[in-house]
Each structure stands twice: as structure tokens, then as C-alpha cells.
């Protein structure tokens, strides 16, 4: 199921690529969705975030995240190297400005998996300058989300409670996004996202005056 509302304007100086921002509460399956999309679309690229947290089991530096210490992160932010940055559960996360803009100039579709505040920063910084579509993944229910977090066995009960509390706050911000998709079935979620992106792309190509009409779908 999806709900959408898209309204962007294109200009002659826009890069040819498309920026796809994907957000979701922790445990909602955002990483799995991104991995599946990249597997199905090898020409798409994922912007690898920089973070100050330690790697989880199986995570690799330069593939899952760029792991840096706090002073290094602060230097990157002060030099304007980050398109967006946010503090999440006492750890800093950020996105390389040059990677995103260079990839868009090359005509690539770039997936950016970030939180709500990061999305606001991206919209403020790039809104109207690049073709941008924002998607928020919703869990079927808070109970299902808790079950998924507990099933990961990577957080303590107290940490899970904090993540659930944060998730409930984030869900309230879902209307800020162009589209929302309930991630109940992975294949259906992938299909819904692909359709939303294809429709966005069709509107971009077919629009003579660069104005896309708002709409809602279910």
C-alpha cells in the first residue's frame, strides 16, 4: 500500500540523475529494501553514510558505512563536506556532499537511506535544484516493529524501548515525505517503490513545463 504526493519543478540546470531518499524507523527493513533495489538495478548507486558508531557484526568499512571517530566527523562537517548530518542514539551520521552531487551529474540514480532530520536538510539544501523523490517506509504495526527489533538480537531491551519510542515520533513525520509505503511484504514493497520511481521518471520526461501534479494513490 502506498500514499503519495509529488510536487517538484525542473529547471534547465538540473543534473540528469535522480536522488531517491528512503527513510524508515529502525527495524523496519530499510537496509534490506535498499540492498534488494540495488541488486535489481545494478546501475543505481547507494550513498554510503559516514558514522561515528562502531561496526555491527558483519559490517565492513567502506561498504556498509565509513566508520570514523568523532573529531574526524566534526572536521568533515565544519568543512562543509556533508550534505546532511544527524545524531541518532548518541552516534553521528552524515552523507558525502560530493559523492551525491557528482553521481547526479553523471546521470545516476542515487539512493540515500537517512532519517527524518537528514531528509529535511536534503530538501532544504537541494530542493528544486535536483530531481528528488522522498519515500518513508512504515511498519505494519508497532508490535511487528518490536518483534523485528527483538529478532535481530543486537540491542538490549532498554535500547529496543528507546528505538520504539523514536520510531513512534518518526512515524508522525511520514506525511512530510512524497510517498509512504507499508513494508509488510518485501516483494510488494520493492514493486511499490519501483512503480513510484518509474511514475516520477515518466512525469519528469513528459512534463513540458516542469510542473508535476499532486496526487494520492492507494
Amino acid at each position: 500500500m502506498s500514499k503519495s504526493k509529488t510536487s517538484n519543478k525542473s529547471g534547465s540546470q538540473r543534473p540528469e540523475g535522480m536522488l531517491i531518499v528512503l527513510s524508515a524507523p529502525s527495524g523496519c527493513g530499510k537496509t534490506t529494501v535498499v540492498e534488494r533495489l540495488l541488486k535489481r538495478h545494478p546501475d543505481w548507486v547507494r550513498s554510503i553514510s559516514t558514522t561515528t558508531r562502531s561496526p555491527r557484526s558483519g559490517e565492513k568499512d567502506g561498504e556498509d558505512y565509513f566508520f570514523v571517530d568523532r573529531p574526524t566527523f566534526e572536521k568533515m562537517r565544519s568543512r562543509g563536506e556533508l550534505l546532511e548530518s544527524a545524531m541518532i542514539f548518541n552516534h553521528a551520521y552524515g552523507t558525502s556532499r560530493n559523492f551525491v552531487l557528482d553521481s547526479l551529474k553523471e546521470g545516476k540514480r542515487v539512493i540515500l537511506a537517512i532519517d527524518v532530520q537528514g531528509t529535511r536538510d536534503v530538501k532544504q539544501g537541494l530542493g528544486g535544484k535536483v530531481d528528488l523523490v522522498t519515500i518513508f517506509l512504515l511498519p505494519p504495526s508497532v508490535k511487528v516493529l518490536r518483534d523485528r527489533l527483538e529478532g535481530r538480537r543486537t540491542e538490549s531491551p532498554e535500547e529496543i524501548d528507546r528505538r520504539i519510542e523514536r520510531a513512534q515520533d518518526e512515524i508522525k513525520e511520514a506525511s512530510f515525505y512524497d510517498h509512504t509505503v507499508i513494508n509488510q511484504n518485501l516483494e510488494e514493497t520493492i514493486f511499490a517503490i519501483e512503480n513510484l520511481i518509474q511514475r516520477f521518471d515518466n512525469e519528469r520526461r513528459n512534463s513540458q513545463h516542469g510542473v508535476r501534479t499532486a496526487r494520492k494513490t492507494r
Side-chain angles (χ1 to χ4, degrees):
M1 180 187 299
S2 68
K3 172 184 175 183
S4 65
K5 53 172 187 176
T6 306
S7 179
N8 290 323
K9 296 183 179 181
S10 74
S12 58
Q13 300 303 314
R14 285 172 180 265
E16 291 296 323
M18 179 191 301
L19 181 57
I20 304 160
V21 172
L22 186 66
S23 299
S26 177
C28 196
K30 176 177 58 182
T31 299
T32 301
V33 167
V34 170
E35 290 175 349
R36 184 64 62 88
L37 286 168
L38 292 173
K39 186 175 181 179
R40 288 169 59 87
H41 304 277
D43 55 324
W44 296 11
V45 296
R46 176 174 71 93
S47 176
I48 301 175
S49 296
T50 298
T51 182
T52 59
R53 76 162 172 78
S54 300
R56 296 191 181 119
S57 177
E59 290 183 333
K60 297 181 180 179
D61 184 48
E63 293 184 13
D64 300 286
Y65 289 91
F66 291 110
F67 297 99
V68 300
D69 57 25
R70 190 61 181 271
T72 299
F73 188 93
E74 292 302 331
K75 287 179 181 178
M76 294 174 66
R77 180 157 52 187
S78 65
R79 291 194 295 256
E81 296 175 9
L82 300 178
L83 180 63
E84 59 81 29
S85 61
M87 288 294 298
I88 304 174
F89 303 116
N90 297 319
H91 299 296
Y93 293 80
T95 299
S96 169
R97 178 184 302 275
N98 286 342
F99 177 85
V100 170
L101 294 181
D102 289 346
S103 296
L104 292 176
K105 289 177 182 178
E106 293 172 3
K108 296 179 180 178
R109 294 185 179 185
V110 182
I111 298 180
L112 188 54
I114 55 178
D115 73 340
V116 174
Q117 182 56 53
T119 302
R120 291 186 182 277
D121 291 343
V122 170
K123 276 195 168 185
Q124 182 177 3
L126 296 181
K129 300 176 183 178
V130 304
D131 280 316
L132 168 67
V133 57
T134 59
I135 301 171
F136 192 93
L137 292 183
L138 291 165
S141 67
V142 174
K143 181 182 182 304
V144 170
L145 183 60
R146 179 178 289 276
D147 290 342
R148 290 176 179 174
L149 288 170
E150 292 176 347
R152 297 197 312 194
R153 301 182 182 278
T154 57
E155 293 91 12
S156 67
E158 294 76 18
E159 180 71 10
I160 290 175
D161 287 340
R162 287 194 294 270
R163 289 180 182 272
I164 290 294
E165 183 178 358
R166 180 181 175 89
Q168 292 174 319
D169 291 336
E170 290 177 327
I171 289 171
K172 296 176 183 177
E173 301 292 328
S175 60
F176 172 71
Y177 287 71
D178 299 324
H179 312 282
T180 57
V181 176
I182 298 176
N183 187 23
Q184 184 162 12
N185 176 278
L186 179 59
E187 296 304 321
E188 292 179 0
T189 297
I190 296 299
F191 182 72
I193 292 174
E194 288 175 334
N195 279 346
L196 291 171
I197 294 172
Q198 184 60 55
R199 191 180 72 194
F200 182 95
D201 202 28
N202 290 341
E203 290 176 348
R204 175 174 66 167
R205 293 177 180 177
N206 295 334
S207 177
Q208 295 180 350
H209 302 291
V211 178
R212 298 178 179 85
T213 58
R215 66 179 64 183
K216 292 184 177 181
T217 62
R218 288 188 180 273

